[in-house]
Amino acid sequence: MYIKQVICNCNINMMNGYDLSNDYVIAELVKDQILENIFSFLNLKDLKNCMLVCKTWFRILGDENNELWRFHCIRRLSEEVLRSDLLSNLPTYKTKLRAFLHAWSPNDCSRNIYIKPNGFTLHRNPVAQSTDACRGKIGFSRGRHAWEVIWEGPLGTVAVIGVSTKQAPLQCQGYVGLLGSDESSWGWNLVDNILLHNGDTQGDYPMMNNSPKYQVGERVRVILDCDSGTLCFEKKYEFLGVAFRNLPFNTKLYPTVSAVYGNTEVSMVYVGLPLDG
C-alpha cells in the first residue's frame, strides 16, 4: 500500500482517466525513474518479488547495470574491490552484488581464518600444526553453479578446493587434506594434483600426462552440477574433466577451501550459471 500511495501522489495527472483501483494499471504507468527511486529503498528479497508484478517492473529490475543495481552494489561493496581486477569477469553491478552475497562466510570458518574487508578474500593466521577451512555463505542443492577460486598466497604442503556440506569439519590438528577427509566433503589438492574424499585419495586430477601444477594467482573455475551430481574444474578456460560423480542429491553443498600455510589468502568469486562450450 505504501508503494501504491507514493506512486499515485507522484503521477496523479498522468493517471487521470485510469482505474486507480487496478494495481496492475498503476504498476504499468509509472515512469522508470520514479520506480528506480522507489526500488532503491527496498531490500533484495522485496526486489525479487517485485520482478513478478508486471512486465515493466521485470524489465527495469532485469537491467543488471542500471542505477538501481549500482546503488545497491556500492552500498555493500567497497570502492576498492569494485575497481580491482578481482571482479573483472563480472560485467554488471547486479552480478558483482550477487558474487558478494555468495562470498566466504565469516560465520562458517575456522577460528584461525578471518574474512578481509573486501568481503571476498579469506586470510589464514599463522597457527602451527593446524589445518583450517572456510565455506561460502550460500549452498546449492539444485541447478548448475560456477565460481572462481584464486589462491593469492603460498600453498604450503596441502591446499584443497571443492565443496562440502555443513557437517564437514572446519579445523583439525596437523597439516592434512581437511577438505575431503570425510564423507561430507570433496576436494582437489592443488599441491600434488590428487582428488580427496572420505579420507582417501580418489586418483590423479586432471587425467593427463605431466599435468602442470597450480601457480599462485591463477583462477580456477569450480563447476557444480547439482542435477547430475558432478563436480568439475576449469583452469585458464580449459575444461579439466569431471572430478567427482554421484554427489548427494537434495543436500546443500557449499564452496569450500582448506589451507595450512600461515598468512596465505584465498579469494572466491561466484559467477553464476556456467557457460557451455
Side-chain angles (χ1 to χ4, degrees), residues 210-256:
N210 301 317
S211 176
K213 296 294 182 68
Y214 177 84
Q215 301 297 314
V216 171
E218 286 183 324
R219 289 177 181 253
V220 173
R221 182 162 293 193
V222 187
I223 304 170
L224 173 65
D225 189 333
C226 298
D227 299 329
S228 66
T230 59
L231 184 68
C232 311
F233 299 91
E234 291 180 0
K235 188 168 68 171
K236 295 181 178 178
Y237 300 102
E238 178 183 359
F239 182 67
L240 302 180
V242 177
F244 294 100
R245 302 182 188 273
N246 301 315
L247 297 178
F249 291 100
N250 300 319
T251 300
K252 283 192 175 182
L253 299 173
Y254 294 77
T256 312

Side-chain angles (χ1 to χ4, degrees), residues 32-95:
D32 291 5
Q33 185 178 2
I34 295 175
L35 282 174
E36 288 185 14
N37 185 46
I38 295 172
F39 289 155
S40 67
F41 292 95
L42 302 183
N43 60 41
L44 297 177
K45 182 178 179 180
D46 289 337
L47 290 177
K48 184 178 180 180
N49 292 331
C50 285
M51 293 187 73
L52 305 176
V53 171
C54 63
K55 292 181 180 179
T56 298
W57 290 20
F58 181 84
R59 171 180 56 80
I60 294 173
L61 293 171
D63 180 357
E64 298 191 352
N65 224 19
N66 63 19
E67 284 300 307
L68 168 67
W69 292 116
R70 177 180 177 273
F71 172 80
H72 281 283
C73 194
I74 63 177
R75 190 165 67 175
R76 291 170 173 81
L77 279 68
S78 67
E79 182 178 353
E80 178 183 358
V81 74
L82 286 173
R83 293 179 179 273
S84 70
D85 291 336
L86 184 61
L87 305 183
S88 60
N89 289 344
L90 303 178
T92 68
Y93 288 116
K94 188 175 181 180
T95 55

